[in-house]
Amino acid sequence: MHLHFSIHYASRWGQQLFIETNHEKFAQIPLHYQADGWWQADLVVAHLPAGLQYNYVLREADGHERREAGKARALSGLKGRVVYLADSWRELHHPDSALLNTAFTEVIFRPGQVRKAKAVRSQKGLAKVRFDFLQVRVPAGLELVVLGDVPELGNWQPAEAQVLAAEHFPLWQTQILLAPGTQFSYKYALRDPETKEIVIWEQGDNRTYTVPAAADMVVKSDAYFRFAAGGWKGMGVAVPVFSLRSAQSCGIGEFMDLIPFVDWAADQGMQLVQILPINDTSSSFTWVDSYPYSAISVFALHPIYLRVDQLEVAPPKAAHQRTRTQLNALAEVDYEAVLQYKLKLARRAYDRQRSKLAKNKAFQSFVADNAHWLPAYAAFCYLRDQHATADWLRWPAADQNYDQERIDALTAPTSAAYTEIAFHYYLQYHLDKQLYAAASYARQRGIILKGDIPIGIDRESADAW
């Protein structure tokens, strides 16, 4: 198979374009400048390697490299001896490139019903032309189409346009057959699927292409719909979790209180909910720790946001309801009382479940997946409690300097301290579980849950230690 790559890039003197692949045999392929901003490269393979992917890299004269936006392009579904890959550069600083993260591709602009891309059967004397259009922002209720000045693209008639499928969203695809040498103009548009009328035409000049004479297949890649109104704008609200206190929470807003709040935000037509930092700030266990920007870990979540009712061992019902009612009735959050009460109930549940944790696959998986920070954080919390201060410079000399071997020994299941160490694992496991449940629900409602983090770390923290 002969692969012919071409891309337009208005380069400066000293710049060089490369194709970067995931195959060691041809990891980097230099492109050659032709004229008028066009770059080309050729790759001949006996058999196309399975899973082959590529993207474009711009190398400056000083060796600095800049990659295009988006995931690597997949060389899949290619048929024929000679395949032309007519690509377009995906500019990293284009406003729509910001939409290529999962918050937009999997939540806000996630397609509803996804149809498979239309397949066309090869015909002698005709080249298969596949349109690959990278586009995240497609308004709900509209379909993405391509139409142009040839019959295969509807001769500019909206009702005859080719509908693109989002089987590989955010890549939209469709295929047609054209005779080699065919010159055509085309545009992408957004169409009402019921009336077949164009609702939004993309702006600017028509896109153009000429099917190469030697092509058996062409993949014509484009990126970003040219909207007249410019970039996307969304609506959201910023809220501290602690302010979401409800009848179901205990003295303070909790992660699970995000669920009804998300319902409210979705009903208002919002797309984002931003929350203040929710990291653990437990340093002195006094009200001073309530400042959310003074975390003792950039990873650990604050135990005060735990819904203790959802632990494996529920708190005594009547007594818990009395305490909850008292704490919720306060005009302000009693930070110290709430945290102490929740830690007491969490400890009670942990003590009754401790012997089962070794066989709890979900718990063990959580600990393993977070091994890059969790043991060190738990060791810090253990030593903080042992020495009655989070100021590690006031700890005994043996504990002041972070030593990985000592941490490994302290956090080993055979360690005398492991019961205390694992309590912090247990807290973080349930906090993560509850926050994940709230975040997953938000995604189902089309809401991004956006976090906030402090600019720096606290001096008396596991990270500084």
Side-chain angles (χ1 to χ4, degrees):
M1 180 180 284
H2 184 167
L3 302 176
H4 181 86
F5 298 86
S6 66
I7 189 169
H8 188 271
Y9 188 89
S11 57
R12 301 190 305 271
W13 179 259
Q15 292 180 326
Q16 171 67 49
L17 278 176
F18 290 86
I19 294 171
E20 193 173 69
T21 82
N22 60 342
H23 196 286
E24 59 181 10
K25 187 176 180 180
F26 27 81
Q28 203 168 64
I29 305 167
L31 286 97
H32 305 285
Y33 184 77
Q34 304 301 302
D36 301 324
W38 286 100
W39 295 76
Q40 295 181 357
D42 292 275
L43 176 64
V44 179
V45 293
H47 301 285
L48 193 65
L52 184 61
Q53 297 178 330
Y54 73 101
N55 54 20
Y56 290 94
V57 179
L58 176 69
R59 182 177 296 167
E60 302 284 355
D62 61 3
H64 175 74
E65 293 184 348
R66 183 159 64 92
R67 284 161 176 76
E68 59 180 347
K71 295 181 179 179
R73 307 164 190 259
L75 284 168
S76 59
L78 305 185
K79 303 290 182 181
R81 293 182 298 105
V82 181
V83 178
Y84 280 75
L85 299 152
D87 292 321
S88 60
W89 178 264
R90 300 169 176 176
E91 177 54 49
L92 190 62
H93 300 295
H94 190 284
D96 278 7
S97 292
L99 306 182
L100 290 171
N101 65 56
T102 56
F104 296 96
T105 60
E106 296 181 9
V107 183
I108 291 181
F109 293 110
R110 178 184 61 200
Q113 185 177 359
V114 177
R115 63 163 65 93
K116 288 189 176 183
K118 186 187 75 172
V120 296
R121 297 183 64 180
S122 300
Q123 293 185 28
K124 188 176 181 180
L126 297 179
K128 185 179 292 186
V129 179
R130 189 179 84 197
F131 293 88
D132 282 10
F133 188 42
L134 184 70
Q135 177 63 24
V136 177
R137 182 165 49 128
V138 174
L142 299 180
E143 58 185 7
L144 187 60
V145 300
V146 58
L147 62 170
D149 61 358
V150 292
E152 293 79 3
L153 292 177
N155 282 326
W156 294 115
Q157 297 302 309
E160 304 301 321
Q162 291 284 336
V163 180
L164 289 97
E167 184 179 0
H168 303 291
F169 184 77
L171 193 65
W172 299 75
Q173 297 175 315
T174 192
Q175 295 183 16
I176 60 174
L177 295 174
L178 289 174
T182 301
Q183 299 178 2
F184 64 97
S185 299
Y186 67 101
K187 270 189 174 181
Y188 296 99
L190 294 165
R191 188 177 74 175
D192 186 317
E194 299 297 328
T195 66
K196 305 300 181 185
E197 294 180 354
I198 301 300
V199 178
I200 304 174
W201 287 89
E202 67 171 344
Q203 300 297 297
D205 295 337
N206 294 338
R207 302 174 189 259
T208 60
Y209 188 68
T210 301
V211 181
D216 294 315
M217 181 176 182
V218 173
V219 178
K220 182 67 187 78
S221 296
D222 296 307
Y224 309 138
F225 191 97
R226 301 187 300 240
F227 284 97
W232 174 82
K233 293 182 180 180
M235 179 173 65
V237 59
V239 62
V241 175
F242 59 72
S243 70
L244 299 178
R245 187 167 64 181
S246 69
Q248 286 70 45
S249 52
C250 187
I252 194 171
E254 301 167 348
F255 289 147
M256 300 309 294
D257 289 312
L258 285 165
I259 291 177
F261 188 75
V262 159
D263 283 334
W264 172 84
D267 291 344
Q268 308 312 308
M270 296 183 181
Q271 295 85 28
L272 304 97
V273 169
Q274 178 170 338
I275 57 178
L276 264 60
I278 50 178
N279 302 83
D280 189 3
T281 59
S282 303
S283 179
S284 64
F285 294 93
T286 65
W287 67 268
V288 177
D289 296 346
S290 63
Y291 181 61
Y293 291 92
S294 187
I296 65 167
S297 169
V298 297
F299 298 103
L301 300 172
H302 204 305
I304 205 165
Y305 298 121
L306 182 69
R307 177 153 294 177
V308 292
D309 308 64
Q310 295 189 356
L311 299 176
E312 299 92 340
V313 179
K317 191 172 182 178
H320 178 56
Q321 186 56 46
R322 283 195 300 272
T323 303
R324 176 176 17 217
T325 301
Q326 293 169 1
L327 292 173
N328 284 347
L330 298 175
E332 298 179 351
V333 172
D334 189 333
Y335 177 88
E336 296 176 22
V338 171
L339 181 58
Q340 291 171 9
Y341 179 65
K342 289 193 174 188
L343 288 177
K344 182 182 73 172
L345 292 179
R347 173 74 68 172
R348 174 178 176 272
Y350 168 71
D351 288 341
R352 298 191 181 188
Q353 286 293 306
R354 190 173 64 207
S355 62
K356 302 177 182 178
L357 292 178
K359 295 182 179 180
N360 185 324
K361 292 183 179 180
F363 173 79
Q364 293 299 330
S365 178
F366 171 79
V367 173
D369 292 344
N370 294 278
H372 58 290
W373 68 270
L374 187 57
Y377 160 77
F380 177 86
C381 292
Y382 170 76
L383 293 172
R384 171 202 62 198
D385 297 343
Q386 288 292 304
H387 304 312
T389 179
D391 185 356
W392 45 273
L393 290 175
R394 293 167 56 194
W395 293 352
D399 293 332
Q400 285 185 14
N401 295 320
Y402 183 91
D403 180 82
Q404 190 60 54
E405 289 187 7
R406 174 162 165 70
I407 298 303
D408 291 343
L410 190 66
T411 59
T414 54
S415 166
Y418 188 73
T419 296
E420 293 300 313
I421 294 290
F423 174 60
H424 299 290
Y425 292 174
Y426 179 79
L427 282 174
Q428 291 302 313
Y429 166 67
H430 277 286
L431 288 162
D432 178 81
K433 189 176 178 180
Q434 293 181 13
L435 179 58
Y436 182 81
S440 297
Y441 182 81
R443 284 175 170 251
Q444 292 172 13
R445 292 299 316 265
I447 296 286
I448 298 172
L449 194 59
K450 187 178 184 295
D452 184 13
I453 57 175
I455 295 174
I457 60 173
D458 192 273
R459 187 183 70 83
E460 298 176 5
S461 66
D463 305 309
W465 177 52

